């Protein structure tokens, strides 16, 4: 039973480029959360998605950030025109509605040069 | 803005000591309180999900209590071992929202 898969583990981008972060939830889970961890900070909520539906995006910056979770394929967190302040670890977690626990991926460390 | 506060920020104990730390959350419109353990170089792992006032959960040497009326939860570790060293996170879920808000965590170091 594969866990939550995130890729890539490390992503380096130059300022102005686009970053795409992928998350495949655990088998049978149809809901995912995205969190961002800045240095010396905790996990900050970004967005909560169901397949083909954004349920809560109140933690997403208004510009340059978007997320999707298509019917087929992984959830994608997309950051356009990255800036140095976007450098952080981005974690995805799939949600088990049965026991209401989150199962986290290993994260993607984004570094913007 | 939902505030989830954890204290202390960090804690050093000796092997065999028992310890506890606190998570504070809004006492109104409560739905659930989660505890996670986050070991270095790994991903956070769920310990407990608690929904009822007065609830107590136990997993081995780790237990947790919940007071929704006053807005706090305690996590207890009995007879700490070096492998308990990790950051312990709590997360709050209010009623009517799917958003799970995390505290900054308590970093526990157990010295052999």
């Amino acid at each position: 039973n594969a866990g939550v898969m995130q890729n890539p583990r490390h992503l380096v981008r130059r300022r102005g480029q686009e970053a795409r972060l992928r998350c495949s939830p655990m088998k049978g889970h149809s809901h995912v959360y995205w969190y961002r961890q800045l240095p010396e900070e905790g996990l900050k909520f970004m967005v909560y998605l169901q397949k083909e539906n954004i349920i809560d995006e109140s933690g997403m910056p208004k510009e340059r950030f978007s997320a999707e979770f298509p019917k087929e394929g992984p959830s994608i967190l997309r950051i356009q025109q990255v800036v140095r302040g976007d450098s952080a670890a981005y974690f995805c977690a799939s949600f088990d509605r049965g026991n209401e626990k989150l199962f986290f991926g290993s994260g993607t460390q984004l570094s913007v040069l | 803005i939902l505030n989830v506060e954890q204290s202390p920020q960090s804690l050093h104990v000796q092997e065999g000591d028992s310890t506890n730390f606190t998570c504070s959350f809004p006492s109104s419109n409560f739905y659930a309180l989660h505890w996670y353990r986050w070991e270095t170089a790994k991903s956070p792992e769920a310990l407990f999900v608690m929904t009822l006032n007065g609830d107590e959960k136990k997993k081995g040497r780790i237990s947790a209590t919940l007071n929704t009326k006053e807005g706090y939860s305690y996590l207890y570790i009995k007879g700490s071992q070096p492998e308990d060293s990790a950051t312990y996170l709590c997360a709050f879920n209010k009623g009517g929202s799917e958003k799970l808000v995390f505290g900054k965590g308590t970093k526990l170091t157990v010295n052999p």
Side-chain angles (χ1 to χ4, degrees), chain A residues 24-62:
Chain A
S24 297
M26 290 182 71
K27 187 176 180 180
H29 291 186
S30 58
H31 295 75
V32 299
Y33 285 85
W34 283 94
Y35 285 86
R36 174 165 61 175
Q37 185 194 26
L38 293 167
E40 306 302 319
E41 294 287 325
L43 292 170
K44 297 296 184 186
F45 171 82
M46 299 184 77
V47 63
Y48 175 54
L49 306 120
Q50 183 183 23
K51 279 190 181 287
E52 299 185 280
N53 188 26
I54 298 174
I55 297 176
D56 187 332
E57 57 180 347
S58 59
M60 291 279 271
K62 298 298 180 191

Side-chain angles (χ1 to χ4, degrees), chain A residues 45 63 79 81 98:
Chain A
F45 171 82
E63 298 177 348
I79 311 172
Q81 299 176 321

Side-chain angles (χ1 to χ4, degrees), chain A residues 8-24:
Chain A
R9 288 295 302 272
H10 301 275
L11 181 62
V12 180
R13 285 287 177 265
R14 295 190 182 279
R15 281 179 296 170
Q17 291 184 319
E18 179 180 286
R20 281 184 181 241
L21 288 62
R22 296 175 191 78
C23 170
S24 297

Side-chain angles (χ1 to χ4, degrees), chain A residues 33 35 48 58 100 102 105-106, chain B residues 31 34 36 43 98-100:
Chain A
Y33 285 85
Y35 285 86
Y48 175 54
S58 59
E100 301 200 14
L102 295 188
S106 299
Chain B
Y31 179 73
H34 297 225
Y36 289 81
S43 308
E98 306 282 0
K99 185 174 173 178
L100 196 58

Side-chain angles (χ1 to χ4, degrees), chain B residues 14-35:
Chain B
Q14 290 298 123
E15 183 175 354
D17 287 351
S18 293
T19 187
N20 65 86
F21 21 93
T22 307
C23 173
S24 301
F25 51 85
S27 56
S28 60
N29 201 13
F30 174 88
Y31 179 73
L33 192 283
H34 297 225
W35 281 100

Side-chain angles (χ1 to χ4, degrees), chain B residues 5-111:
Chain B
E5 304 288 340
Q6 291 190 247
S7 64
Q9 189 174 352
S10 65
L11 192 55
H12 291 251
V13 300
Q14 290 298 123
E15 183 175 354
D17 287 351
S18 293
T19 187
N20 65 86
F21 21 93
T22 307
C23 173
S24 301
F25 51 85
S27 56
S28 60
N29 201 13
F30 174 88
Y31 179 73
L33 192 283
H34 297 225
W35 281 100
Y36 289 81
R37 176 169 60 199
W38 194 355
E39 295 179 66
T40 302
K42 294 187 177 181
S43 308
E45 291 184 2
L47 288 172
F48 307 115
V49 179
M50 308 170 78
T51 57
L52 298 175
N53 184 42
D55 210 1
E56 292 188 27
K57 299 272 188 177
K58 188 174 181 185
K59 184 177 182 180
R61 294 178 291 99
I62 303 177
S63 60
T65 61
L66 179 67
N67 184 325
T68 63
K69 295 187 186 305
E70 296 183 41
Y72 65 83
S73 175
Y74 292 136
L75 190 79
Y76 300 90
I77 302 178
K78 185 178 179 182
S80 303
Q81 299 297 308
E83 57 265 31
D84 296 328
S85 297
T87 296
Y88 291 82
L89 302 171
C90 70
F92 171 74
N93 188 192
K94 75 174 186 180
S97 171
E98 306 282 0
K99 185 174 173 178
L100 196 58
V101 178
F102 280 81
K104 291 186 178 181
T106 292
K107 184 175 182 179
L108 174 68
T109 303
V110 182
N111 300 310

Side-chain angles (χ1 to χ4, degrees), chain A residues 59-79:
Chain A
M60 291 279 271
K62 298 298 180 191
E63 298 177 348
R64 301 188 297 109
F65 284 72
S66 62
E68 64 176 6
F69 190 11
K71 185 176 180 181
E72 302 292 336
S75 175
I76 306 286
L77 180 68
R78 183 182 178 205
I79 311 172

